[in-house]
Amino acid sequence: MDTELSGDKSGKARMYAGYIGVFDSGVGGISVLQALRAELPGEDMVYLGDSANAPYGEKSTEEILTLTDRCCDRLMHAGVKALVVACNTATSVAIRDLRQKYESRLPVIGTEPAIRPAAEAFPHGKILVMATPATLKLEKYARLSHELSGEAEFIPVACPGLAGRIEKGNLDAPDLEHLLRSFLSPYIGQVDAIVLGCTHYPFIRKQIRRVMGDVPLFDGGAGIARQLHRMLEERHLLSGKNEGQLIFLSTLDAPDEIDLYRQMYSLPASAV
Ligand code: DGL
């Protein structure tokens, strides 16, 4: 079976002309998708998760670039009218190239750790930034945190293995809490807020709070959704419909994969 058809029961190849294309390394971007659907319920959306190759966050820059390019190309060939890279890691590596390639044809929106809203809410506060190793070591994060360094103190915490673990589902299992504790224990009671700098992490808000207590958590979903809304409006690309279609695609051709995507979509990830 062509894996691009996963989740599409029609059995024939379909194009997604006029859809919003949303891409992530796997299930994480579904947390952004929820915010997009809440902001733009009338838009048709097609979500592509590269779960066959997830996680990206511990791969080399070249690998991330190649994989991101391949997935975005696939969405472009399907005819999407806007592209949302719902992945901090892929954005850090590839957004400049993607904009160069596609931005003259359609809106291209990336994801970056929500450190600005966190710094605005907690001026001079101590803000923990959880993200993949790739996101934290790349220039984009260094530039952003440097720009805001006078406004708050940022403590980057790379979480290798965490996105990969979230890909497997079963989010209340003790091994996930154990992994989280290994990253977060030194900071219990020490920080004012936490930025979820990987789109997989909003799915484990509850588990993070179990370890860190009632700390405010920031993610980029709602900001991305507002930005997409603005860009569609400016370019007169809004659908004008009341209810849009939602299609899930995965590069991982496993029988339960699309069910996992739907299940993640039904979880309350984006609620603050
Ligand atoms: N969800 C992604 C991010 O926002 C990538 C996680 C991964 O594949 O390592 O960074």
Side-chain angles (χ1 to χ4, degrees):
M1 184 178 80
D2 179 344
T3 51
E4 189 159 9
L5 297 179
S6 306
D8 175 356
K9 307 281 186 233
S10 71
K12 57 181 178 357
R14 275 188 62 180
M15 297 293 280
Y16 298 105
Y19 280 60
I20 311 288
V22 185
F23 154 71
D24 178 53
S25 63
V27 299
I30 295 172
S31 67
V32 176
L33 183 70
Q34 292 175 333
L36 300 180
R37 300 283 293 169
E39 174 79 23
L40 293 159
E43 297 298 326
D44 295 330
M45 297 188 192
V46 52
Y47 181 87
L48 174 60
D50 193 10
S51 290
N53 296 299
Y56 281 12
E58 290 118 68
K59 289 187 175 12
S60 71
T61 303
E62 292 69 30
E63 281 175 292
I64 299 168
L65 197 55
T66 306
L67 294 169
T68 301
D69 202 47
R70 193 186 299 161
C71 288
C72 292
D73 247 33
R74 196 155 154 176
L75 288 170
M76 288 299 295
H77 278 108
V80 298
K81 69 176 177 184
L83 183 61
V84 178
V85 181
C87 175
N88 294 266
T89 308
T91 299
S92 306
V93 172
I95 199 73
R96 200 179 310 167
D97 288 13
L98 293 172
R99 289 210 166 109
Q100 252 167 26
K101 249 169 118 174
Y102 302 129
E103 207 164 43
S104 59
R105 286 147 64 189
L106 82 186
V108 176
I109 295 166
T111 304
E112 58 186 27
I115 66 174
R116 194 180 297 278
E120 278 166 13
F122 293 92
H124 309 295
K126 265 193 177 179
I127 297 168
L128 200 76
V129 185
M130 297 172 67
T132 67
T135 297
L136 292 177
K137 76 167 189 258
L138 287 164
E139 189 210 335
K140 200 168 173 28
Y141 174 74
R143 207 172 347 103
L144 188 64
S145 57
H146 179 73
E147 259 171 49
L148 296 169
S149 57
E151 295 177 34
E153 181 189 343
F154 301 108
I155 306 166
V157 178
C159 302
L162 188 54
R165 174 59 190 81
I166 294 168
E167 281 291 305
K168 297 193 170 79
N170 199 11
L171 303 180
D172 282 310
D175 70 298
L176 198 150
E177 183 168 330
H178 186 73
L179 185 62
L180 264 181
R181 283 192 188 278
S182 73
F183 300 127
L184 299 178
S185 289
Y187 308 103
I188 295 172
Q190 309 288 316
V191 295
D192 298 302
I194 300 177
V195 171
L196 306 178
C198 166
T199 55
H200 281 67
Y201 304 164
F203 288 115
I204 53 163
R205 284 172 175 276
K206 187 182 70 184
Q207 293 79 348
I208 292 171
R209 287 216 167 98
R210 213 178 278 150
V211 175
M212 295 298 285
D214 198 14
V215 182
L217 306 176
F218 289 82
D219 72 70
I224 295 167
R226 285 193 299 272
Q227 194 188 348
L228 175 63
H229 196 155
R230 257 194 320 272
M231 291 177 97
L232 293 178
E233 208 157 39
E234 273 165 25
R235 299 190 190 199
H236 308 289
L237 288 172
L238 286 168
S239 78
K241 295 196 293 189
N242 288 330
E243 206 185 324
Q245 301 284 320
L246 176 57
I247 303 283
F248 288 106
L249 308 173
S250 176
T251 58
L252 184 64
D253 190 10
D256 298 335
E257 195 58 14
I258 296 299
D259 288 342
L260 174 67
Y261 283 24
R262 292 212 176 94
Q263 200 187 317
M264 299 298 269
Y265 183 69
S266 68
L267 292 177
S270 52
V272 181

